[in-house]
Amino acid sequence: MQAIMQIFLARNNVQAGPYQLEQLNIMLASGEVLLDDLMWHEGLAQWQRVGDLTNNQTVYRPTGANTPEVNDSIINNVTVFPEDTNKAKDDKSVSLDRLYGKPERPKNVKADMTTNRHQTPHNNVSLNKSTLKKAIADNDKVVGNVVLAPIMSRVLATALNGLLYILAILPLVMALTKMDVDYTKFQNIQDMDAAYQYSMTLMESLPSSTLMMSQVMVFGLFALQLVFITMRGQSLGKLITGIRVVDQTTHRLPSFIKLIGTRTLLLFIIYNLLFSFTSFLGFVIIAIHYYMASKSPENIGWHDKLAKTLVVKADSSQLVKKSKPE
């Protein structure tokens, strides 16, 4: 007698199953299971993206006549929720609603086919960590298939970018500290022309080697930032802290205009102007941005509203371009 195929699903380091093929196809058709989720069943060497197995269709037709019964020790790293510990061993379940970070529906809802069980690790089958999203902490916010970046991670990324800029202009700063600079020239914001002329005089007084070194370091840093932002949606600060900018709708890399035009160049001009008048004003606007983000359900500050982007925990799947519809 042919054994029934047992299929396991995974998302955000949470695994659910087993499901039968018919159940999987119903959930694919209803949108409960997404093509970017991971799937494993007996006969697969490793976890694979659902869309790769279904040829990006919402129906799965596995090849091969025989699919041996799955061993009872298949999945590791299963998330156990506190209330599940009070259930009988054969009644532990993780519903797809919870897997997707949504409010769980009542058990009597037909579409919620989630009679699942937890499994113990198996040596031959493990989750490919490079394709899984980062583990979700208790205080993480989830939007669709992305985990929002914590506010403190974003603040740290901004601070790291600022530190890198300070390091880039350090030779210039060190040279200026050895000069008798009249800082009162920069305090009268009504006479910016005089401040500009005085700054040019200071620059001309510096050694040409110092100026050249500072220019190379600043432009080199700026070019490196642009490359990472364009290719990965991450400034160097975001790269270090493991977060990324994604489009609010697609949850993939935003368009070039959003990334470079709005979030990078426009913000660079705005903050340059603010810090030119007074550094205090620039820090106030940054603080307002993060305050707005902390009060938003999706951690959206005015930067994000302007560019229609989200800042999320970085995951390699966000770099994959969506296939164009045929």
Side-chain angles (χ1 to χ4, degrees), residues 6 8 17-18 71-76 78 117-121:
Q6 297 188 16
F8 296 85
N71 188 292
D72 263 349
S73 55
I74 291 178
I75 298 181
N76 56 8
V78 176
R117 64 189 178 192
H118 297 286
Q119 306 293 337
T120 54

Side-chain angles (χ1 to χ4, degrees), residues 70 191 205 226 321:
V70 72
D191 194 2
S205 304
L226 283 179
K321 291 185 179 180

